Amino acid sequence: MEKVRATITGVGAYVPEYILDNHELSKMVDTSDEWIMTRVGIKERHILKEEGEGTSFMGARAVEDLLKKTGTKPEEVDLLLCATVTPDHPFPATANIIADKVGIKNAHGFDINGACSGLLYTLDVAAKFIESGAKKKVVVVGADKMSSIVDYTDRTTCVLFGDAGTALLLEPTTEDVGLKDTILQADGSGRHYLYQKAGGSAYPATHETVDNKWHYIYQDGKTVFKHAVSRMADVSVEIMKRNNISPEDLAWLVPHQANLRIIDATAQRMGISRDQVMINIERYGNTTAATIPLCLYEWEKDLKKGDNIILAAFGAGFTWGATYIKWGYDGSKFHK
Ligand code: UT7
């Protein structure tokens, strides 16, 4: 029997209009364009300002974009997964809200919290549903409204994050393309270095949790940086090795966009050059589950069927991983 793989057949995205740039941030906290550009590589981020709207607002727009461009009817979708750390509500799942907003009625769905590696975790789950034959058209949403958990008086975190929604369509193929290999890892002992302390069952919201700012992102940046650099590079090199991909064979590295220095260190360890790396952190910052598809979306027109692509991420948990994809279509078909 021919092997069935999952392949990405389209990419959709939505970024909010409002742009928060380094100049505006430097009026809010003691920071500068020079510090942010040298240490992280971000110039601006998009922020969702619509009152009462959460992650599903951006996720639904990204899915609408995806369904329209791929000519997919909402009722044809049979599974919708949403990678996010900023769900609209603790429950129900943001995946269910997005499905309702876009008219997806014949699918089940749920959220996956793998933090900044969430997109890779979710792609893997989607692929398993397709490889088993259980599902045929799976939508993977990567969306985060990071501005909802950022303390805009804390200069060590508020310069880093932005908001975005993205969506990928996955379908079965028997051709030699698609998701070929994945390495996913986690180490929960790193949980205290990057987390949102309150709002879950350990510390439900009280006056005290609000006064202590426990509903915002806390990050020990230096420790996270150290782990991110070594672990993202380790898995990226490992996935290259075990699939016999030389630096010349690799069309693209698509890294999670948390810090330009982490991206450069990963590329260096892989022995590839900057022009093999998708980088758009300068314009969006760290949009958590959305960073990788947002790159694929922006580079889609340049992607060719058969391109070897490695996706790599590191995030809270700690979680990290790498995914090897042989790209399934010429992106130019959507960009005539
Ligand atoms: O996506 C999830 C995974 N997250 C990551 O991968 C993030 C990993 N961490 C990082 O990217 C970096 O650690 C940061 C960008 C967060 C921080 O960069 P850093 O080079 O590690 O800076 P630092 O935390 O060591 O701070 C250096 C100095 C400190 O001042 P002192 O103590 O040397 O006087 C900070 O207070 O820079 C100061 N600083 C700032 N100065 C101006 C911290 N944030 C800012 C700021 N503007 N925004």
Side-chain angles (χ1 to χ4, degrees):
M1 223 172 79
E2 280 183 302
K3 184 171 170 49
V4 174
R5 277 203 195 86
T7 189
I8 295 170
T9 53
V11 191
Y14 171 84
V15 286
E17 264 172 43
Y18 188 84
I19 293 175
L20 175 60
D21 63 15
N22 290 350
H23 177 68
E24 187 178 351
L25 272 171
S26 65
K27 290 193 254 167
M28 296 157 63
V29 290
D30 181 16
T31 191
S32 65
D33 178 62
E34 204 261 329
W35 191 96
I36 303 169
M37 280 306 285
T38 354
R39 298 289 183 122
V40 208
I42 303 172
K43 269 250 175 267
E44 53 193 39
R45 344 65 208 120
H46 291 246
I47 304 295
L48 184 66
K49 291 278 193 184
E50 275 78 356
E51 181 88 33
E53 298 290 1
T55 292
S56 73
F57 178 88
M58 299 182 291
R61 272 160 181 73
V63 175
E64 278 165 355
D65 177 38
L66 175 73
L67 297 184
K68 190 168 169 222
K69 82 190 264 194
T70 57
T72 309
K73 294 193 189 76
E75 54 275 20
E76 291 175 322
V77 174
D78 47 15
L79 175 64
L80 188 146
L81 304 174
C82 179
T84 190
V85 294
T86 51
D88 283 20
H89 314 286
F91 70 90
T94 299
N96 305 149
I97 302 172
I98 293 171
D100 179 55
K101 285 185 174 175
V102 304
I104 290 177
K105 295 192 184 314
N106 299 320
H108 83 289
F110 50 94
D111 293 352
I112 294 179
N113 181 343
C116 291
S117 312
L119 197 278
L120 300 192
Y121 275 40
T122 309
L123 271 184
D124 189 50
V125 174
K128 300 290 190 282
F129 270 101
I130 288 176
E131 287 162 13
S132 71
K135 302 287 178 182
K136 296 269 184 287
K137 285 190 192 286
V138 179
V139 171
V140 166
V141 173
D144 270 299
K145 184 182 170 185
M146 296 307 289
S147 62
S148 66
I149 53 169
V150 164
D151 175 1
Y152 285 99
T153 65
D154 173 11
R155 70 173 182 172
T156 70
T157 51
C158 74
V159 301
L160 305 175
F161 297 97
D163 302 338
T166 58
L168 299 166
L169 182 63
L170 278 87
E171 295 181 79
T173 181
T174 50
E175 290 186 59
D176 185 26
V177 293
L179 273 68
K180 295 201 123 192
D181 194 16
T182 299
I183 304 171
L184 296 175
Q185 301 194 316
D187 176 3
S189 70
R191 64 192 179 278
H192 297 302
Y193 299 113
L194 174 54
Y195 74 140
Q196 181 190 327
K197 185 166 180 171
S201 56
Y203 296 98
T206 61
H207 280 292
E208 191 196 3
T209 63
V210 172
D211 291 345
N212 289 339
K213 301 188 167 193
W214 288 352
H215 294 268
Y216 292 128
I217 296 169
Y218 166 82
Q219 174 169 247
D220 171 349
K222 261 197 187 341
T223 305
V224 177
F225 185 89
K226 214 172 63 196
H227 284 86
V229 163
S230 65
R231 289 175 157 166
M232 203 161 111
D234 284 350
V235 283
S236 304
V237 169
E238 190 186 339
I239 209 159
M240 273 177 97
K241 275 202 184 130
R242 76 183 199 188
N243 290 282
N244 295 315
I245 305 166
S246 67
E248 300 73 47
D249 293 337
L250 188 71
W252 296 104
L253 167 69
V254 191
H256 171 54
Q257 314 275 310
N259 188 318
L260 190 53
R261 290 184 291 146
I262 299 173
I263 295 172
D264 281 341
T266 304
Q268 203 181 359
R269 279 273 307 282
M270 294 167 78
I272 61 171
S273 65
R274 258 266 183 109
D275 54 17
Q276 288 167 282
V277 188
M278 295 187 192
I279 303 172
N280 61 13
I281 186 173
E282 187 167 327
R283 284 175 292 123
Y284 302 109
N286 182 349
T287 57
T288 302
T291 60
I292 288 174
L294 199 50
C295 284
L296 292 173
Y297 180 79
E298 293 205 315
W299 269 265
E300 186 186 43
K301 61 182 182 323
D302 302 323
L303 297 179
K304 296 191 182 55
K305 188 170 181 178
D307 276 353
N308 288 315
I309 299 180
I310 290 176
L311 319 178
F314 179 89
F318 295 131
T319 57
W320 66 103
T323 300
Y324 165 42
I325 294 177
K326 213 176 235 312
W327 194 251
Y329 62 94
D330 289 334
S332 56
K333 75 173 182 182
F334 291 125
H335 300 269
K336 295 240 159 69

